[in-house]
Amino acid sequence: MKAHYLGHVVFYVKDLERSLAFYRDLLGFTEVGRIFNGAAAALTSGRTHHELLLIQVGDAPGPPAGRRRGLYHIGIKVGDSLDELRQAKRELEQAGVPIDGMSDHTVSQSLYLRDPDSNEVELYVDADEALWKRDPSTVVSPIKPLRL
């Protein structure tokens, strides 16, 4: 078997509308439908039928802070240039979303933030793919600070 690509991510969320305001209204995913009597929403960037499913669970415990087993973060590509990443940063700041960090990974440049349920989200742009195609080990290059 050979995996083709990661198809979608499912998050349990406290408040579906609050999470839709983040993923749909701020990050720009398109809501394609609801299931479970409206308690869950499927979203897409347009690449496939859905990349994200949000299921409302109310006051269930959220993710614990710090290092642990399980999901660390999800990465969402937001463009093809540093200018587009700068624009994303401006939009997050205007929306009052704190940015936890900014990193240059050589093969990509990233912003890190938390969604309304404290899940870590990486917003990124890729560097020229020739970098990692020529030398696949660049994917594990030392992480450098990013200044936008």
Side-chain angles (χ1 to χ4, degrees):
M1 174 185 328
K2 168 128 177 49
H4 289 241
Y5 56 80
L6 181 63
H8 65 269
V9 174
V10 178
F11 278 133
Y12 289 129
V13 301
K14 180 177 181 177
D15 180 311
L16 182 60
E17 291 305 319
R18 182 180 72 167
S19 292
L20 286 170
F22 180 81
Y23 287 102
R24 181 192 60 205
D25 303 339
L26 180 60
L27 297 187
F29 282 89
T30 299
E31 183 178 342
V32 294
R34 297 207 184 185
I35 56 173
F36 307 143
N37 295 319
L43 298 111
T44 184
S45 68
R47 183 185 60 81
T48 186
H49 44 78
H50 80 288
E51 288 99 347
L52 191 58
L53 181 67
L54 306 174
I55 304 171
Q56 182 171 290
V57 295
D59 285 323
R67 293 180 69 167
R68 64 202 177 276
R69 285 190 216 108
L71 182 67
Y72 175 17
H73 70 259
I74 63 167
I76 300 170
K77 185 175 178 178
V78 295
D80 296 309
S81 71
L82 283 176
D83 284 341
E84 288 170 294
L85 193 61
R86 283 184 194 96
Q87 180 60 35
K89 181 177 182 280
R90 282 190 292 273
E91 291 176 28
L92 292 167
E93 290 168 343
Q94 289 170 355
V97 175
I99 296 170
D100 295 338
M102 300 189 306
S103 298
D104 180 347
H105 298 281
T106 303
V107 298
S108 64
Q109 290 75 41
S110 306
L111 305 174
Y112 292 90
L113 51 132
R114 302 260 169 202
D115 78 0
D117 292 289
S118 295
N119 296 299
E120 186 171 296
V121 176
E122 174 187 8
L123 303 181
Y124 72 93
V125 297
D126 284 325
D128 183 351
E129 68 181 26
L131 287 169
W132 59 266
K133 284 188 173 180
R134 183 176 57 247
D135 180 4
S137 71
T138 57
V139 117
V140 292
S141 295
I143 300 168
K144 301 174 285 299
L146 177 66
R147 304 202 196 300
L148 291 178

